[in-house]
Amino acid sequence: MTHTQRATSVYGTLDDRPRGWREQAGRYALLPLRLFLGVTFIYAGIGKLTDSAFMSATGTGSIGELMNNVRDTSAIPSLVDLSLKNPEGFGYAMALGELAVGIGTLVGLLARLAALGGALISLSLWLTVSWQTDPYYYGNDLAYLMAWLPLVLAGASLFSLDALIAARRRRIP
């Protein structure tokens, strides 16, 4: 007796459509997380870019003041020292990075790379700005880091430019 294997999709059907509501819900499970993180990082990036006080080396509410305040309590003071060499440049890099990560995540373009960028931004903020938060779960940067990880692993398979590009590649002979 010979056995042949039929090609099936992730959902167990040949036509790649989920059969029940649980499979349908599973297919859309990461979409709310993707929307939340994308919008949040776009908002954070725009907020920094439009706040002249933030984009200063000194003064109340500036990136320089923030970095000076967390330097001695961060897990990696050398990372803070690096940002203090050019606080304005670091502020712009952070804001533009958040904007790029947010847009990439929201539209699903290079979604895994965008999510990795978001995870790295969240990790750096956790190790510097919110490291001293006690207990640790009061600091939100660690929660953001954990929220990015499913998107790093899964990417953006629905309603994304990545999915559109992949579908177009499959159609081209």
XYZ file of all heavy atoms in Angstrom, residues 79-170:
691
model
N 25.397 52.977 27.247
C 24.440 53.276 26.189
C 23.870 54.683 26.372
O 23.712 55.428 25.404
C 23.318 52.233 26.178
C 22.316 52.284 25.042
C 23.005 52.100 23.696
C 21.270 51.191 25.230
N 23.619 55.062 27.606
C 23.144 56.408 27.898
C 24.245 57.417 27.597
O 23.987 58.481 27.017
C 22.660 56.520 29.361
C 22.226 57.944 29.684
C 21.521 55.547 29.633
N 25.483 57.087 27.969
C 26.607 57.985 27.667
C 26.732 58.220 26.168
O 27.016 59.337 25.724
C 27.919 57.409 28.209
C 27.989 57.453 29.724
O 27.268 58.263 30.337
O 28.774 56.664 30.298
N 26.507 57.187 25.384
C 26.561 57.319 23.931
C 25.492 58.304 23.445
O 25.765 59.147 22.588
C 26.372 55.947 23.277
C 26.474 55.870 21.771
C 27.874 56.245 21.306
C 26.129 54.464 21.299
N 24.300 58.224 24.000
C 23.226 59.145 23.600
C 23.524 60.570 24.049
O 23.103 61.520 23.397
C 21.885 58.688 24.164
O 21.815 58.913 25.557
N 24.262 60.721 25.142
C 24.572 62.051 25.657
C 25.649 62.769 24.845
O 25.827 63.971 24.980
C 24.977 61.969 27.128
C 23.819 61.719 28.092
C 24.333 61.415 29.487
C 22.876 62.912 28.108
N 26.351 62.057 23.973
C 27.338 62.706 23.105
C 26.660 63.637 22.101
O 27.231 64.642 21.709
C 28.181 61.663 22.375
C 29.137 60.947 23.288
C 30.011 59.974 22.531
C 30.943 59.288 23.522
N 31.864 58.392 22.855
N 25.452 63.287 21.706
C 24.667 64.125 20.784
C 23.185 63.887 21.075
O 22.522 63.147 20.351
C 25.007 63.798 19.333
C 24.308 64.716 18.362
O 23.503 65.567 18.737
N 24.603 64.536 17.092
N 22.651 64.498 22.135
C 21.260 64.236 22.524
C 20.241 64.557 21.430
O 19.276 63.817 21.244
C 21.047 65.129 23.744
C 22.394 65.463 24.244
C 23.313 65.413 23.063
N 20.459 65.658 20.697
C 19.510 66.021 19.643
C 19.509 64.965 18.540
O 18.453 64.548 18.064
C 19.835 67.394 19.033
C 19.725 68.539 19.995
C 21.080 68.925 20.602
O 22.011 68.075 20.637
O 21.214 70.060 21.055
N 20.693 64.543 18.129
C 20.798 63.495 17.103
C 20.157 62.197 17.559
O 19.453 61.526 16.791
N 20.376 61.857 18.835
C 19.766 60.652 19.397
C 18.246 60.790 19.424
O 17.521 59.848 19.098
C 20.302 60.387 20.802
C 19.686 59.201 21.460
C 20.014 57.914 21.073
C 18.750 59.373 22.468
C 19.427 56.812 21.673
C 18.156 58.273 23.077
C 18.499 56.994 22.676
N 17.754 61.978 19.780
C 16.305 62.221 19.807
C 15.686 62.068 18.424
O 14.642 61.436 18.267
N 16.346 62.630 17.409
C 15.847 62.489 16.035
C 15.909 61.042 15.565
O 14.980 60.554 14.907
C 16.606 63.410 15.076
C 16.108 64.827 15.118
C 16.867 65.829 15.708
C 14.872 65.164 14.580
C 16.411 67.136 15.761
C 14.400 66.478 14.624
C 15.176 67.448 15.217
O 14.704 68.741 15.270
N 16.994 60.349 15.897
C 17.113 58.935 15.518
C 16.010 58.109 16.160
O 15.399 57.248 15.518
C 18.487 58.400 15.905
N 15.725 58.380 17.423
C 14.667 57.656 18.140
C 13.307 57.944 17.503
O 12.524 57.030 17.230
C 14.657 58.064 19.611
C 13.568 57.398 20.424
S 13.810 55.638 20.634
C 15.003 55.657 21.930
N 13.024 59.222 17.252
C 11.727 59.605 16.689
C 11.542 59.032 15.285
O 10.483 58.484 14.963
C 11.596 61.122 16.656
N 12.556 59.140 14.446
C 12.451 58.616 13.082
C 12.385 57.089 13.086
O 11.682 56.492 12.262
C 13.612 59.122 12.229
C 13.603 60.631 11.958
C 14.882 61.066 11.256
C 12.372 61.046 11.171
N 13.100 56.462 14.012
C 13.018 55.002 14.154
C 11.619 54.563 14.558
O 11.066 53.608 13.998
N 11.026 55.257 15.519
C 9.658 54.932 15.938
C 8.675 55.140 14.790
O 7.768 54.323 14.589
C 9.254 55.793 17.135
C 9.926 55.383 18.424
C 9.644 56.322 19.578
O 9.248 57.490 19.350
O 9.822 55.893 20.730
N 8.870 56.199 14.036
C 7.996 56.476 12.896
C 8.128 55.390 11.827
O 7.115 54.879 11.324
C 8.343 57.849 12.320
C 7.312 58.579 11.512
C 5.997 58.721 12.251
C 7.843 59.950 11.118
N 9.348 55.001 11.497
C 9.562 53.949 10.495
C 8.990 52.608 10.954
O 8.329 51.902 10.189
C 11.060 53.808 10.196
N 9.215 52.272 12.213
C 8.684 51.024 12.769
C 7.157 51.053 12.751
O 6.509 50.076 12.357
C 9.220 50.810 14.207
C 8.389 49.802 14.979
C 10.677 50.387 14.167
N 6.578 52.169 13.167
C 5.117 52.278 13.203
C 4.492 52.165 11.829
O 3.517 51.430 11.632
N 5.045 52.866 10.851
C 4.500 52.814 9.488
C 4.676 51.416 8.896
O 3.730 50.857 8.323
C 5.159 53.889 8.598
C 4.724 55.281 9.057
C 4.807 53.677 7.135
C 5.513 56.418 8.429
N 5.869 50.847 9.045
C 6.104 49.497 8.531
C 5.165 48.473 9.139
O 4.654 47.587 8.454
N 4.912 48.598 10.426
C 4.014 47.670 11.114
C 2.567 47.887 10.692
O 1.838 46.936 10.430
C 4.155 47.839 12.644
O 5.512 47.573 13.000
C 3.238 46.901 13.400
N 2.158 49.130 10.618
C 0.770 49.437 10.287
C 0.396 48.988 8.875
O -0.652 48.380 8.674
C 0.515 50.934 10.456
C -0.933 51.384 10.490
C -1.689 50.726 11.638
C -0.992 52.898 10.647
N 1.257 49.255 7.909
C 0.940 48.869 6.529
C 1.448 47.473 6.187
O 1.136 46.943 5.122
C 1.463 49.898 5.497
C 0.876 51.259 5.754
C 2.971 49.936 5.446
N 2.215 46.875 7.080
C 2.706 45.515 6.856
C 3.777 45.433 5.785
O 3.792 44.503 4.996
N 4.675 46.396 5.750
C 5.778 46.380 4.796
C 7.054 46.038 5.546
O 7.429 46.738 6.486
C 5.921 47.742 4.107
C 7.032 47.836 3.065
C 6.780 46.838 1.930
C 7.127 49.242 2.520
N 7.693 44.947 5.126
C 8.855 44.421 5.855
C 8.485 44.278 7.335
O 9.192 44.732 8.233
C 10.071 45.320 5.668
C 10.528 45.545 4.234
C 11.620 46.597 4.171
C 11.001 44.250 3.596
N 7.354 43.641 7.555
C 6.728 43.620 8.880
C 7.607 42.978 9.943
O 7.658 43.466 11.073
C 5.384 42.908 8.809
N 8.284 41.899 9.617
C 9.152 41.270 10.621
C 10.325 42.180 10.970
O 10.707 42.277 12.138
C 9.645 39.921 10.119
C 8.611 38.839 10.200
C 9.232 37.474 9.899
N 8.291 36.432 10.176
C 7.651 35.733 9.247
N 7.870 35.975 7.972
N 6.795 34.800 9.590
N 10.890 42.825 9.980
C 11.990 43.758 10.226
C 11.502 44.950 11.047
O 12.185 45.390 11.977
C 12.591 44.219 8.895
C 13.787 45.156 8.984
C 14.950 44.489 9.710
C 14.206 45.592 7.589
N 10.337 45.473 10.725
C 9.760 46.579 11.497
C 9.516 46.151 12.937
O 9.823 46.896 13.876
C 8.462 47.058 10.852
N 8.981 44.956 13.118
C 8.726 44.455 14.477
C 10.033 44.258 15.241
O 10.103 44.537 16.440
C 7.929 43.155 14.418
N 11.058 43.788 14.552
C 12.369 43.645 15.199
C 12.887 45.019 15.621
O 13.414 45.172 16.726
C 13.360 42.956 14.257
C 14.769 42.771 14.807
C 14.759 41.888 16.051
C 15.674 42.183 13.728
N 12.705 46.024 14.768
C 13.086 47.380 15.138
C 12.322 47.867 16.354
O 12.894 48.476 17.266
N 11.027 47.594 16.394
C 10.216 47.968 17.551
C 10.677 47.259 18.815
O 10.738 47.856 19.895
N 11.009 45.982 18.679
C 11.499 45.221 19.837
C 12.826 45.791 20.331
O 13.047 45.914 21.544
C 11.643 43.744 19.470
N 13.708 46.157 19.415
C 15.004 46.714 19.816
C 14.859 48.090 20.461
O 15.554 48.401 21.438
C 15.945 46.776 18.609
C 16.412 45.421 18.092
C 17.229 45.584 16.814
C 17.200 44.659 19.144
N 13.951 48.912 19.937
C 13.688 50.205 20.574
C 13.148 49.982 21.984
O 13.602 50.605 22.947
C 12.712 51.053 19.733
C 13.389 51.544 18.457
C 12.163 52.235 20.546
C 12.450 52.192 17.457
N 12.190 49.072 22.125
C 11.605 48.798 23.439
C 12.643 48.221 24.396
O 12.661 48.581 25.583
C 10.425 47.840 23.299
O 9.404 48.438 22.533
N 13.503 47.348 23.888
C 14.563 46.781 24.726
C 15.517 47.871 25.196
O 15.877 47.922 26.383
C 15.327 45.703 23.951
C 16.535 45.083 24.665
C 16.098 44.336 25.928
C 17.292 44.164 23.718
N 15.921 48.752 24.299
C 16.855 49.816 24.695
C 16.205 50.763 25.708
O 16.872 51.209 26.646
C 17.372 50.570 23.478
O 16.348 51.299 22.867
N 14.922 51.054 25.529
C 14.230 51.908 26.499
C 14.084 51.214 27.851
O 14.200 51.850 28.903
C 12.866 52.335 25.959
C 12.904 53.333 24.802
C 11.507 53.535 24.230
C 13.511 54.657 25.235
N 13.836 49.897 27.818
C 13.709 49.164 29.077
C 15.043 49.145 29.822
O 15.092 49.364 31.037
C 13.224 47.745 28.806
C 13.140 46.897 30.035
C 12.469 47.172 31.189
C 13.769 45.636 30.241
N 12.638 46.148 32.102
C 13.428 45.192 31.531
C 14.571 44.821 29.450
C 13.874 43.990 32.058
C 15.005 43.616 29.963
C 14.662 43.207 31.254
N 16.121 48.931 29.104
C 17.435 48.839 29.751
C 17.991 50.192 30.186
O 18.945 50.245 30.960
C 18.434 48.160 28.813
C 18.176 46.685 28.538
C 19.134 46.164 27.481
C 18.272 45.871 29.826
N 17.405 51.274 29.706
C 17.910 52.595 30.068
C 16.876 53.391 30.870
O 17.067 53.638 32.044
C 18.329 53.391 28.808
O 17.236 53.458 27.898
C 19.530 52.754 28.139
N 15.788 53.750 30.247
C 14.832 54.673 30.861
C 14.008 54.030 31.965
O 13.830 54.604 33.039
C 13.905 55.284 29.783
C 12.859 56.192 30.400
C 14.733 56.037 28.750
N 13.480 52.830 31.734
C 12.566 52.261 32.739
C 13.187 51.132 33.557
O 12.486 50.432 34.273
C 11.275 51.775 32.064
O 11.546 50.741 31.152
N 14.481 50.963 33.491
C 15.157 49.893 34.226
C 14.942 50.021 35.729
O 14.784 49.021 36.431
C 16.654 49.903 33.901
C 17.411 48.832 34.597
C 18.234 48.978 35.678
C 17.415 47.444 34.278
N 18.747 47.761 36.041
C 18.258 46.802 35.195
C 16.783 46.679 33.292
C 18.500 45.431 35.165
C 17.016 45.317 33.264
C 17.861 44.711 34.191
N 14.952 51.233 36.264
C 14.856 51.444 37.705
C 13.441 51.295 38.240
O 13.234 51.340 39.444
C 15.423 52.819 38.081
C 14.532 53.989 37.741
C 14.562 54.398 36.274
O 15.277 53.829 35.466
N 13.780 55.384 35.905
N 12.452 51.119 37.368
C 11.057 50.990 37.815
C 10.926 49.758 38.709
O 11.345 48.663 38.354
C 10.118 50.874 36.604
O 10.325 52.001 35.767
C 8.674 50.820 37.042
N 10.323 49.967 39.872
C 10.187 48.879 40.839
C 8.759 48.855 41.365
O 8.278 49.888 41.844
C 11.182 49.085 41.988
C 11.196 47.916 42.953
O 11.106 46.764 42.476
O 11.282 48.156 44.171
N 8.074 47.750 41.252
C 8.458 46.501 40.625
C 8.526 46.641 39.091
O 7.934 47.541 38.509
C 7.372 45.522 41.033
C 6.193 46.353 41.402
C 6.725 47.694 41.836
N 9.263 45.741 38.482
C 9.572 45.838 37.051
C 8.335 45.920 36.170
O 8.355 46.537 35.117
C 10.444 44.658 36.605
C 9.687 43.360 36.488
C 9.113 42.973 35.284
C 9.520 42.522 37.588
C 8.394 41.802 35.170
C 8.804 41.353 37.480
C 8.246 40.992 36.280
O 7.533 39.833 36.179
N 7.227 45.312 36.582
C 6.039 45.274 35.728
C 5.296 46.610 35.676
O 4.347 46.756 34.930
C 5.093 44.141 36.116
C 4.763 44.075 37.589
C 3.775 44.875 38.147
C 5.441 43.189 38.424
C 3.479 44.807 39.485
C 5.146 43.112 39.772
C 4.163 43.923 40.295
O 3.867 43.852 41.627
N 5.719 47.596 36.450
C 5.145 48.936 36.327
C 5.714 49.681 35.113
O 5.114 50.616 34.631
C 5.398 49.760 37.580
C 4.477 49.445 38.734
C 4.760 49.907 40.006
C 3.334 48.685 38.566
C 3.927 49.637 41.074
C 2.502 48.403 39.624
C 2.797 48.881 40.875
O 1.981 48.615 41.932
N 6.872 49.283 34.662
C 7.467 49.913 33.477
C 6.866 49.314 32.214
O 6.816 48.093 32.061
N 6.412 50.144 31.283
C 5.727 49.609 30.115
C 6.668 49.151 29.006
O 6.242 48.441 28.100
C 4.718 50.626 29.576
C 5.372 51.884 29.065
O 6.564 52.085 29.178
N 4.562 52.757 28.512
N 7.934 49.517 29.033
C 8.835 49.153 27.938
C 9.047 47.648 27.828
O 9.169 47.115 26.726
C 10.172 49.876 28.083
C 10.006 51.377 27.956
O 9.288 51.808 27.032
O 10.566 52.124 28.778
N 9.064 46.949 28.949
C 9.192 45.498 28.912
C 7.944 44.858 28.295
O 8.044 43.924 27.495
C 9.434 44.940 30.322
C 9.618 43.430 30.441
C 10.799 42.956 29.584
C 9.822 43.034 31.891
N 6.779 45.387 28.620
C 5.535 44.873 28.023
C 5.517 45.117 26.514
O 5.091 44.251 25.734
C 4.321 45.529 28.688
N 5.989 46.282 26.073
C 6.074 46.552 24.637
C 7.047 45.584 23.966
O 6.769 45.072 22.875
C 6.504 47.995 24.363
C 5.363 48.969 24.395
C 5.151 49.796 25.494
C 4.486 49.079 23.323
C 4.102 50.695 25.519
C 3.431 49.972 23.341
C 3.249 50.771 24.449
O 2.204 51.644 24.468
N 8.167 45.324 24.606
C 9.125 44.363 24.056
C 8.457 43.006 23.844
O 8.572 42.397 22.775
C 10.328 44.232 24.989
C 11.322 43.109 24.684
C 11.951 43.278 23.307
C 12.391 43.048 25.769
N 7.735 42.531 24.829
C 7.052 41.239 24.713
C 5.943 41.280 23.662
O 5.690 40.296 22.978
C 6.462 40.817 26.069
C 7.507 40.505 27.122
S 8.585 39.166 26.604
C 10.173 39.950 26.765
N 5.286 42.429 23.498
C 4.225 42.558 22.496
C 4.786 42.501 21.081
O 4.105 42.024 20.161
C 3.461 43.865 22.705
N 6.011 42.960 20.882
C 6.612 42.932 19.552
C 7.012 41.525 19.124
O 7.035 41.224 17.919
C 7.848 43.839 19.494
C 7.529 45.281 19.364
C 7.726 46.258 20.297
C 6.949 45.942 18.228
N 7.299 47.469 19.809
C 6.830 47.308 18.541
C 6.528 45.512 16.974
C 6.295 48.241 17.652
C 5.992 46.443 16.085
C 5.884 47.783 16.431
N 7.342 40.660 20.058
C 7.893 39.345 19.712
C 6.977 38.479 18.841
O 7.463 37.851 17.894
C 8.338 38.609 20.974
C 9.491 39.298 21.719
C 9.880 38.495 22.949
C 10.688 39.537 20.813
N 5.662 38.401 19.080
C 4.817 37.623 18.161
C 4.846 38.151 16.730
O 4.795 37.379 15.770
C 3.409 37.749 18.760
C 3.618 38.090 20.181
C 4.896 38.877 20.236
N 4.972 39.464 16.571
C 5.039 40.035 15.227
C 6.397 39.783 14.578
O 6.486 39.652 13.358
C 4.724 41.530 15.264
C 3.309 41.889 15.696
C 3.128 43.397 15.757
C 2.278 41.260 14.776
N 7.446 39.710 15.384
C 8.761 39.329 14.849
C 8.681 37.912 14.288
O 9.183 37.619 13.199
C 9.862 39.424 15.931
C 11.169 38.812 15.439
C 10.095 40.868 16.357
N 8.020 37.030 15.020
C 7.920 35.620 14.611
C 6.946 35.404 13.456
O 7.223 34.634 12.538
C 7.503 34.766 15.809
C 8.488 34.723 16.970
C 7.873 34.017 18.161
C 9.791 34.076 16.554
N 5.798 36.074 13.488
C 4.733 35.783 12.520
C 4.663 36.749 11.344
O 4.126 36.398 10.301
C 3.382 35.774 13.252
N 5.164 37.959 11.517
C 5.028 38.939 10.446
C 3.596 39.428 10.318
O 2.810 39.347 11.254
N 3.258 39.915 9.137
C 1.916 40.450 8.878
C 1.345 39.742 7.659
O 1.611 40.121 6.529
C 1.985 41.949 8.647
N 0.565 38.709 7.911
C 0.058 37.902 6.799
C -1.258 38.422 6.224
O -1.621 38.074 5.120
C -0.115 36.456 7.247
O -1.021 36.386 8.324
N -1.981 39.232 6.965
C -3.261 39.753 6.493
C -3.229 41.268 6.371
O -2.609 41.946 7.185
C -4.384 39.378 7.465
C -4.736 37.906 7.544
C -5.770 37.691 8.624
C -5.254 37.409 6.212
N -3.928 41.790 5.373
C -4.051 43.231 5.170
C -2.689 43.914 5.224
O -2.485 44.880 5.959
C -4.997 43.858 6.198
C -6.347 43.227 6.231
C -6.789 42.563 7.355
C -7.173 43.285 5.121
C -8.038 41.970 7.389
C -8.426 42.706 5.145
C -8.859 42.032 6.276
N -1.735 43.394 4.474
C -0.386 43.939 4.518
C 0.206 44.023 3.111
O -0.180 43.272 2.213
C 0.500 43.070 5.394
O 0.742 41.827 4.780
N 1.135 44.932 2.961
C 1.857 45.029 1.696
C 2.728 43.793 1.485
O 2.921 43.368 0.346
C 2.690 46.305 1.663
C 1.886 47.603 1.592
C 2.809 48.815 1.642
C 1.031 47.646 0.339
N 3.233 43.217 2.558
C 4.011 41.973 2.440
C 3.179 40.866 1.802
O 3.650 40.154 0.912
C 4.506 41.502 3.815
C 5.635 42.350 4.369
O 6.213 43.154 3.604
O 5.939 42.208 5.563
N 1.928 40.706 2.244
C 1.044 39.673 1.690
C 0.711 39.984 0.236
O 0.661 39.072 -0.605
C -0.232 39.565 2.518
N 0.489 41.247 -0.075
C 0.197 41.651 -1.449
C 1.381 41.351 -2.378
O 1.209 40.808 -3.469
C -0.145 43.145 -1.479
C -0.573 43.731 -2.813
C -1.925 43.151 -3.225
C -0.661 45.237 -2.697
N 2.565 41.671 -1.925
C 3.773 41.403 -2.714
C 3.971 39.904 -2.898
O 4.288 39.435 -3.994
C 5.003 42.059 -2.057
C 4.880 43.584 -2.153
C 6.300 41.567 -2.687
C 5.853 44.343 -1.266
N 3.770 39.127 -1.830
C 3.912 37.671 -1.916
C 2.893 37.070 -2.877
O 3.225 36.181 -3.668
C 3.778 37.047 -0.532
N 1.656 37.549 -2.851
C 0.618 37.051 -3.756
C 0.959 37.385 -5.195
O 0.772 36.569 -6.100
C -0.740 37.637 -3.380
N 1.479 38.568 -5.416
C 1.862 38.969 -6.763
C 3.024 38.113 -7.280
O 3.070 37.746 -8.431
C 2.241 40.441 -6.759
C 2.319 41.026 -8.148
C 2.437 42.498 -8.113
N 1.098 43.062 -8.007
C 0.846 44.336 -7.989
N 1.833 45.199 -8.067
N -0.385 44.782 -7.909
N 3.962 37.791 -6.414
C 5.098 36.943 -6.808
C 4.628 35.536 -7.184
O 5.177 34.916 -8.082
C 6.127 36.845 -5.684
C 6.991 38.038 -5.570
C 8.060 37.834 -4.532
N 8.829 39.050 -4.344
C 9.505 39.338 -3.257
N 9.526 38.484 -2.248
N 10.174 40.454 -3.167
N 3.623 35.023 -6.467
C 3.111 33.683 -6.766
C 2.415 33.637 -8.116
O 2.401 32.613 -8.790
C 2.145 33.229 -5.672
C 2.830 32.769 -4.417
C 1.863 32.077 -3.479
N 0.778 32.941 -3.041
C 0.776 33.679 -1.953
N 1.829 33.670 -1.157
N -0.255 34.419 -1.629
